[in-house]
Amino acid sequence: MAVDYTVIVVYLAGMLGMGWWGMRRARSKSEFLVAGRRLGPAMYSGTMAAIVLGGASTIGGVGLGYKYGLSGAWMVFTIGLGLLALSVFFSARIARLKVYTVSEMLDLRYGGKAGVISGVVMWAYTLMLAVTSTIAYATIFDVLFDLNRTVAIVLGGAIVVAYSTLGGMWSITLTDMVQFVVKTIGVLLLLLPIAVVKAGGFSGMKAKLPTSYFDPLGIGGETIFTYVLIYTFGMLIGQDIWQRVFTARSDRVARAGGTVAGTYCLVYALAGAVIGTAAKVLYPNLTSADDAFATIVKDELPIGVRGLVLAAALAAVMSTSSGALIACATVANNDIWSRLRGAVRPGGEAHDEAAEAHDEVRDNRLFILVMGLAVIGTAIALNDVVEALTVAYNLLVGGLLVPILGGLLWRRGTAQGALASVIVGGLAVIGLMAGYGILANEPVYYGLLASLAAYLVVSLATRPTDEAVLAVWRERLAGRSPELASDPVPAHQ
């Protein structure tokens, strides 16, 4: 294992080195939180694919393939569909807004009355997303070094917190680009073909497994529908995803680069399912489907290659974890703490941004450190990854999907309708999870319907949004706001 250990150690050292390099570039709020809004197509595509394809998509995707066969691709496939929908229909408008958070977008659209409550919901989602990614370190480091669960979480979490705190989005962008390359080589170019060959090729796999393993809908229609509702729609509104859209150099980069990343996700989904199906042939009696990835890597890959593929798994977890961490810290600082202090006016621009640039970088760096420590502590205390992730996505979709998409698509939506939608949808999801169970499908179904009903009824029953607010909103959507002069975008990157 010495060669494998060397590959992993070099990879981890490289992540910290890029964090240090990113620190030298992150000298303003824009640089620290959204990489100066100047990523070109290649870096944007790679980093966007890296953040959405995390440990759940890699280890969990292979596990679903082990359990259901090719239809196990649906979870990651719906993530790709959500990213494609976001990129084609919404990303250009989102990029032109030049905000930092989803809640700032809601404030712009509805007149500065939705930020704190929506910020709390988004903060809870990003926190739990970061926690679930951090828990996954335990699985990978256990395979690598046979480490205690708590030690593994602290080690993996500390590395991510370190490079994220040092350079913010610049560090995360650089590390995510490396992680994207490592995942592509490790999972798609190495593990996939080796697993298929070891399992006897597709003909051998078909001969040894039930026909249901090759049924595209074998996982079940209701499960697929739930995946679409949670993951496809979740991709449209998550702060971790939007914050990457904000890094695009232009709306064209956001649309084209996101489309490439979404297409990559579809390929990755199928690859994970095929690897899991091959693992079922090789190891038909695993106690847990989620062990399929680590088992096939440990037993079937040659020395050196094994280290690279395990580094790919580590890359998948780290990319999602760092993206969720900076999103969590950004929301906590910009949407909750700063608003409660009255330091930020609607639209997210500080009163004297030029004079306070250094302090803003310092404050955001501090929030990443604090949130990172909170994530590590929560991950150590929490055991069930699936339940934590389900709670996060149920709250996100049930509480925020309707007011966000309503604000983008329906002119008649009002601030009162948005607030009612967030509150009713969020409370409905929490109550229904208590009644039906956290993993049930009903909470997100009925919670989303309750949120939609509240938004429509209250919006129609209240006065339309002030025309001056809508005029500013239209200017920002068109990219013509004079406030953008303080946030220049270089011609190339």
Side-chain angles (χ1 to χ4, degrees), residues 144-216:
L144 288 172
F145 307 117
D146 194 25
L147 288 178
N148 171 272
R149 177 182 183 274
T150 299
V151 175
I153 289 173
V154 171
L155 176 60
I159 292 170
V160 170
V161 171
Y163 73 69
S164 300
T165 302
L166 285 172
M169 186 60 83
W170 264 124
S171 294
I172 292 170
T173 296
L174 295 171
T175 54
D176 276 1
M177 198 63 201
V178 174
Q179 288 158 359
F180 169 74
V181 173
V182 171
K183 277 192 289 191
T184 301
I185 295 173
V187 175
L188 296 186
L189 301 184
L190 293 177
L191 182 57
L192 175 61
I194 290 173
V196 172
V197 170
K198 292 279 188 177
F202 286 102
S203 58
M205 292 160 63
K206 285 185 177 180
K208 295 176 183 178
L209 294 174
T211 55
S212 62
Y213 267 70
F214 303 92
D215 180 359

Side-chain angles (χ1 to χ4, degrees), residues 17-360:
M18 289 185 182
W20 182 262
W21 188 87
M23 180 178 69
R24 304 180 64 179
R25 299 201 61 168
R27 303 189 180 202
S28 68
K29 178 180 180 179
S30 175
E31 294 282 352
F32 192 82
L33 294 182
V34 290
R37 307 187 195 274
R38 43 184 178 158
L39 297 191
M43 289 194 73
Y44 180 85
S45 299
T47 55
M48 181 62 87
I51 188 177
V52 300
L53 296 173
S57 299
T58 303
I59 298 170
V62 171
L64 287 172
Y66 182 88
K67 190 173 182 179
Y68 297 105
L70 298 185
S71 66
W74 272 106
M75 183 187 78
V76 183
F77 201 82
T78 55
I79 290 174
L81 291 178
L83 186 51
L84 284 171
L86 174 71
S87 302
V88 173
F89 298 112
F90 300 107
S91 63
R93 282 182 281 179
I94 292 170
R96 286 194 294 264
L97 288 175
K98 303 294 184 188
V99 294
Y100 292 103
T101 68
V102 173
S103 294
E104 289 175 11
M105 166 264 169
L106 291 173
D107 274 0
L108 277 170
R109 169 60 181 80
Y110 294 113
K113 299 177 181 178
V116 174
I117 294 177
S118 62
V120 169
V121 175
M122 189 64 77
W123 174 81
Y125 157 72
T126 53
L127 177 72
M128 296 312 295
L129 186 61
V131 166
T132 57
S133 300
T134 303
I135 291 173
Y137 296 132
T139 301
I140 299 171
F141 280 110
D142 178 54
V143 174
L144 288 172
F145 307 117
D146 194 25
L147 288 178
N148 171 272
R149 177 182 183 274
T150 299
V151 175
I153 289 173
V154 171
L155 176 60
I159 292 170
V160 170
V161 171
Y163 73 69
S164 300
T165 302
L166 285 172
M169 186 60 83
W170 264 124
S171 294
I172 292 170
T173 296
L174 295 171
T175 54
D176 276 1
M177 198 63 201
V178 174
Q179 288 158 359
F180 169 74
V181 173
V182 171
K183 277 192 289 191
T184 301
I185 295 173
V187 175
L188 296 186
L189 301 184
L190 293 177
L191 182 57
L192 175 61
I194 290 173
V196 172
V197 170
K198 292 279 188 177
F202 286 102
S203 58
M205 292 160 63
K206 285 185 177 180
K208 295 176 183 178
L209 294 174
T211 55
S212 62
Y213 267 70
F214 303 92
D215 180 359
L217 304 178
I219 199 170
E222 183 178 356
T223 299
I224 295 171
F225 178 73
T226 302
Y227 285 159
V228 170
L229 202 60
I230 293 178
Y231 296 115
T232 301
F233 286 117
M235 286 294 106
L236 298 180
I237 58 176
Q239 169 67 25
D240 51 323
I241 309 302
W242 277 42
Q243 199 155 342
R244 293 309 173 95
V245 176
F246 300 150
T247 66
R249 185 172 65 203
S250 66
D251 54 0
R252 292 181 63 185
V253 169
R255 183 186 291 113
T259 301
V260 171
T263 304
Y264 179 90
C265 291
L266 304 184
V267 175
Y268 200 87
L270 185 58
V274 171
I275 292 167
T277 304
K280 183 66 176 179
V281 173
L282 297 168
Y283 311 98
N285 299 313
L286 292 178
T287 55
S288 171
D290 284 341
D291 292 336
F293 179 88
T295 303
I296 196 170
V297 169
K298 194 172 184 180
D299 293 348
E300 301 297 335
L301 299 185
I303 294 172
V305 173
R306 178 172 49 200
L308 182 59
V309 173
L310 285 172
L314 199 56
V317 175
M318 283 186 160
S319 58
T320 299
S321 181
S322 59
L325 176 59
I326 193 171
C328 177
T330 302
V331 170
N333 188 12
N334 284 28
D335 296 338
I336 300 175
W337 178 245
S338 292
R339 291 167 190 269
L340 292 177
R341 293 173 55 207
V344 177
R345 64 178 183 260
E349 299 296 332
H351 289 301
D352 187 2
E353 188 167 338
E356 298 175 5
H358 177 72
D359 288 342
E360 287 183 330

